[in-house]
Amino acid sequence: MAAPDRGAKWLRLCALLLGLLPLVLLLGCTLEQYPQSAMHPRSDYAIWLQDLLEGLVFWVVLIFVLVEGALIVAVIRFRARPGMPDPKPVHGHTGLEIAWTIAPALILAAVAVPTVATVFKTQSKAPAGALQVEVIGHQWWWEFRYPEYQITTANELHVPVGRTVSVSLATADVIHSFWFPAMGGKRDVVPARTNHMWFTPNSTGEFPGQCAELCGISHANMRMKLFVRTPEEFDAWVVAQRAGPAEPDTLSTEARGKQVFMTAGCVACHTINGVSNGVLGPNLTHVGGRSTIAAALFDNTPHELGKWIADPPARKPGTSMLKLPMSPDQLADLVAYLTSLK
Ligand code: CUA
């Protein structure tokens, strides 16, 4: 009888290790390692979700321990032994029937009350004085407009710490979903209607975001970045964004690049304030000042920018940005011009 015993022991050990695995994995989670984790709230909205989750997990764990504990006790204490009489049936026991009807009802209430309260809180109207941002989802990039400052930018959202950001969500094409995990829950961006959400960032930093609704072949490539800055830094950013685009010196590489921009076809889709009026692609007035390109897919370096412009569909499947014919020299000039647009 030694062999089956050893087998059962191994099975129990494996089950225990397997059960501990998620805990061990979770212990390793930090914001630095997993910046897109929803477990590191950095706004009021995200903290409400975290509190709700922790409350629910508490009840779930408590119920699990009580139920499994009772089960284990029953299995061990009441297991069949030789010579034992049949157990007394409890069918029709009024006290038990009432208890196991009321207990789940109380548990459901304990889950439902905070959940519904959080739903109402996160769907309420933004407080007065919030920073208004219009978000427009495109396949596959994000447009951000600040009506208060007449700024239009793309993929990188700048906000001041401590001020509520009130976001209106619209789409130019299909359904997307706006999600900065550190700032709160996902909110869908739906055709023919405008959704709203708001959050108040509580600490400065850079936070990644991601479209969270399958919206086509480059859904996974529809990323964005949030920059939470001090109010002074944000004001400086606003001043810089409101300024016109950098104007290259005559006969410079950048001036030749601007010529390429005007003639190669870029102007059909892109706006540079005072230079062109395309609306299909991101506004490039200050593209050189962004940290990333192509919806936060690549770092904004001359090398990456050159590779991106040389063949957009190869780097981002399905993108409507065309591969425009231009010589290597023209490409280098264009990259120099765009990079100069800080
Ligand atoms: Cu937009 Cu997924």
Side-chain angles (χ1 to χ4, degrees):
M1 290 306 281
D5 248 15
R6 207 181 305 152
K9 227 183 247 174
W10 271 110
L11 208 64
R12 272 203 295 272
L13 188 67
C14 287
L16 183 72
L17 289 177
L18 213 62
L20 288 176
L21 194 62
L23 195 69
V24 174
L25 290 176
L26 278 175
L27 283 176
C29 291
T30 65
L31 185 59
E32 287 68 35
Q33 267 179 296
Y34 302 101
Q36 213 160 276
S37 161
M39 305 306 287
H40 300 97
R42 291 289 187 272
S43 80
D44 44 4
Y45 184 174
I47 288 171
W48 296 334
L49 296 189
Q50 178 94 327
D51 287 349
L52 178 66
L53 177 70
E54 283 174 2
L56 295 188
V57 167
F58 169 79
W59 286 110
V60 166
V61 170
L62 183 71
I63 292 162
F64 176 81
V65 169
L66 290 179
V67 170
E68 293 304 307
L71 180 68
I72 290 167
V73 167
V75 163
I76 294 170
R77 207 170 143 210
F78 302 110
R79 67 193 300 183
R81 292 187 180 86
M84 261 180 98
D86 283 348
K88 206 173 127 215
V90 293
H91 179 75
H93 191 295
T94 315
L96 272 182
E97 296 280 356
I98 291 172
W100 63 48
T101 305
I102 288 180
L106 289 177
I107 292 165
L108 286 181
V111 169
V113 170
T115 303
V116 172
T118 305
V119 167
F120 275 94
K121 205 152 61 168
T122 57
Q123 299 283 339
S124 60
K125 263 187 87 137
L131 170 66
Q132 306 290 328
V133 179
E134 296 170 6
V135 174
I136 301 155
H138 298 257
Q139 282 173 314
W140 290 274
W141 58 282
W142 297 96
E143 183 172 354
F144 301 131
R145 295 183 188 160
Y146 300 69
E148 187 181 335
Y149 305 113
Q150 287 108 47
I151 292 170
T152 300
T153 185
N155 303 319
E156 297 193 354
L157 183 62
H158 288 248
V159 299
V161 68
R163 183 175 172 192
T164 300
V165 185
S166 175
V167 178
S168 71
L169 299 161
T171 171
D173 36 57
V174 301
I175 301 179
H176 305 276
S177 186
F178 181 81
W179 191 35
F180 281 111
M183 294 299 131
K186 304 163 182 174
R187 189 123 327 158
D188 277 0
V189 183
V190 182
R193 66 165 293 162
T194 304
N195 279 344
H196 297 271
M197 71 179 281
W198 58 271
F199 56 87
T200 315
N202 66 15
S203 47
T204 56
E206 296 175 16
F207 305 98
Q210 167 74 52
C211 177
E213 182 72 58
L214 183 61
C215 56
I217 190 167
S218 266
H219 155 67
N221 299 326
M222 188 169 169
R223 302 187 203 161
M224 53 186 162
K225 269 179 99 171
L226 176 72
F227 295 82
V228 182
R229 299 305 196 202
T230 64
E232 297 74 33
E233 286 169 342
F234 176 72
D235 290 344
W237 179 83
V238 167
V239 169
Q241 292 294 307
R242 284 170 60 94
E247 185 53 39
D249 294 335
T250 334
L251 301 180
S252 62
T253 313
E254 290 80 6
R256 289 201 306 273
K258 184 178 178 184
Q259 212 44 47
V260 176
F261 181 82
M262 301 298 288
T263 53
C266 314
V267 291
C269 296
H270 293 285
T271 289
I272 292 178
N273 295 351
V275 176
S276 62
N277 293 305
V279 293
L280 294 177
N283 183 307
L284 300 179
T285 307
H286 295 287
V287 67
R290 292 179 201 147
S291 69
T292 56
I293 50 168
L297 262 195
F298 313 114
D299 287 338
N300 190 7
T301 62
H303 175 70
E304 289 292 339
L305 191 56
K307 270 167 71 181
W308 167 241
I309 297 169
D311 194 353
R315 303 206 74 197
K316 187 168 180 177
T319 179
S320 49
M321 179 150 159
L322 302 173
K323 180 179 175 177
L324 296 172
M326 63 181 78
S327 71
D329 283 349
Q330 285 177 315
L331 178 63
D333 293 345
L334 178 59
V335 167
Y337 172 57
L338 293 174
T339 303
S340 76
L341 300 175
K342 300 289 186 198

